[in-house]
Structure formats: C-alpha cells, structure tokens
Amino acid sequence: MSPDHTAVYVVDDDHSVRRALKNLLRSVGLEVETFGSAQEFLSRQRSDVPSCLILDVRLPGLSGLDVQRKIAEANVNIPIVFLTGHGDIQMSVRAMKAGAVEFLTKPFRDQDLLDAVRLALERDREVRAQQAEKAEYRDRYETLTPREQEVMALVVRGLLNKQIAGELGTSEATVKLHRGRVMHKMQAVSLPDLLRMADKLRMPGPH
C-alpha cells in the first residue's frame, strides 16, 4: 500500500485505540492524523490529497453517523471506514447505504482495516480523477464560442450537418467549419470521443 501523498484521518475518543491505529497505519507508510472528537475533526483544514476517514460510531457529542451526514451535506467527498464496539446491524446498514466503505466491529483484524483503508483511498483517487477530467472538459467547453456551443449541442443530439444548418438557419459549409472547430477545441479525436465528453458534461445525448 503506497502512500503516494495520501492522508488517513482517525476519529475515536479512546486514546489507546487512536495510538494503536496510528502505529498500524504508519507501519505501512501512511500519513495519519488522529482526533478525539467529531468537532475536532470537522474544524480541521484537511489536505487536498486522496484521503479516507476512520470513524468511531459512538463519540461524545456528534456521533459518527452525524459526522457522515454533515460531510455529505457539505458536499465533501471523503470515504469513511466505520468502527464500532457494538455490532449494531441497523447502524451498519444505515452507514453503508449512505456510502461508507466498510463497517468493522471491534476487535477487528488489522488486515481487515488495512484492506478497507486501501479500498477507501482507491475510491477517493478514482473520484478525484473523474472530477479533474470533468473540470478539464468544462474548461475546453468554455473556449467554444456561443455558436460553436450550439453546434456541439446539436451534434451530440445526433443531428447531421444538413439538419444542424436547417436548425440554425445557416449553410452546411458553415456548420462543417464550426464542427471542425468544436472537435479541435474539445481535443476530440472522433465523434464517440466528443459524445463521451458531452456525457461527462451532462449534455443531452442522441434522441
């Protein structure tokens, strides 16, 4: 498990548990920060790197499930691995439905926790890569002129050049010119490539 600029946050009110988890995670080369309460964690400015949160369900003040809800409401994406000393099935179902990566009951096997952390970090990497890709497509789209954006919208809906010309009240030759510029500015190598980008941008596809 390579750390490659990752961060693991541990929230547990038991000092001995925090120390044990910190030692375990550092033994595989991960950067770890520990917190004794949910409030302490929520007030912390976190690094913008692939991360995961190891979170005790039962905490003083805000519970682990409360933290999960607050993070979701703030539109913050950080995968969560829950820990509990009580095998509460209802809690685990609720946590997993809300997107938790794993729900481990204490005492748990070290390898089970490390596997859950590995999965959480991989999930966060994938989400970040998708977000970066979408932002890149958005930046390219913003370089299109209003008319080029109109042409792209009609192209991805499946219209032919002749049909687009009729929709826009222009010539087919002009549509071909705009279409070429769209392909160039979006750095699309083919129509399927452009359609994939449009899908990422949530543009309506072919009827």
Side-chain angles (χ1 to χ4, degrees):
M1 181 161 27
S2 171
D4 67 338
H5 302 295
T6 58
V8 180
Y9 303 101
V10 176
V11 183
D12 196 300
D13 61 328
D14 187 323
H15 176 72
S16 62
V17 171
R18 292 199 305 273
R19 185 175 64 245
L21 290 175
K22 189 171 189 175
N23 290 338
L24 172 64
L25 294 162
R26 283 187 168 177
S27 73
V28 294
L30 291 167
E31 289 294 322
V32 187
E33 285 191 59
T34 63
F35 305 88
S37 70
Q39 291 86 344
E40 188 182 348
F41 168 73
L42 292 171
S43 64
R44 168 74 164 84
Q45 184 69 35
R46 294 179 292 280
S47 303
D48 186 20
V49 297
S51 311
C52 78
L53 173 61
I54 299 175
L55 185 60
D56 191 18
V57 171
R58 298 180 186 275
L59 293 165
L62 292 173
S63 72
L65 295 176
D66 290 333
V67 174
Q68 184 183 37
R69 177 177 50 79
K70 280 185 170 292
I71 288 173
E73 289 172 352
N75 201 28
V76 173
N77 182 72
I78 181 169
I80 299 175
V81 175
F82 276 105
L83 306 179
T84 179
H86 314 268
D88 192 318
I89 295 175
Q90 187 174 359
M91 275 189 182
S92 65
V93 170
R94 180 178 160 192
M96 298 300 282
K97 279 187 175 180
V101 173
E102 186 58 276
F103 197 98
L104 299 175
T105 302
K106 302 174 184 175
F108 47 81
R109 291 174 58 247
D110 288 353
Q111 192 58 51
D112 288 342
L113 178 68
L114 293 176
D115 288 344
V117 168
R118 180 186 292 109
L119 177 61
L121 291 174
E122 287 175 358
R123 182 180 294 184
D124 200 32
R125 286 190 195 95
E126 290 172 3
V127 169
R128 286 169 177 271
Q130 291 169 2
Q131 290 174 339
E133 182 182 52
K134 184 176 179 179
E136 174 62 27
Y137 294 157
R138 175 59 60 185
D139 288 344
R140 295 178 194 176
Y141 181 78
E142 294 297 333
T143 68
L144 303 180
T145 66
R147 177 45 62 94
E148 288 165 355
Q149 290 180 358
E150 287 180 316
V151 169
M152 178 174 172
L154 295 171
V155 167
V156 301
R157 279 173 49 195
L159 274 67
L160 302 174
N161 289 345
K162 184 177 181 179
Q163 295 170 312
I164 295 172
E167 285 270 345
L168 300 179
T170 188
S171 70
E172 193 172 344
T174 300
V175 170
K176 286 181 181 178
L177 181 63
H178 286 312
R179 185 169 179 156
R181 288 174 176 167
V182 167
M183 296 294 286
H184 175 71
K185 290 182 179 180
M186 292 300 296
Q187 300 177 35
V189 298
S190 63
L191 179 57
D193 194 27
L194 186 68
L195 291 173
R196 184 177 61 81
M197 295 178 187
D199 182 61
K200 294 288 186 181
L201 293 172
R202 300 191 181 279
M203 296 177 68
H207 292 309

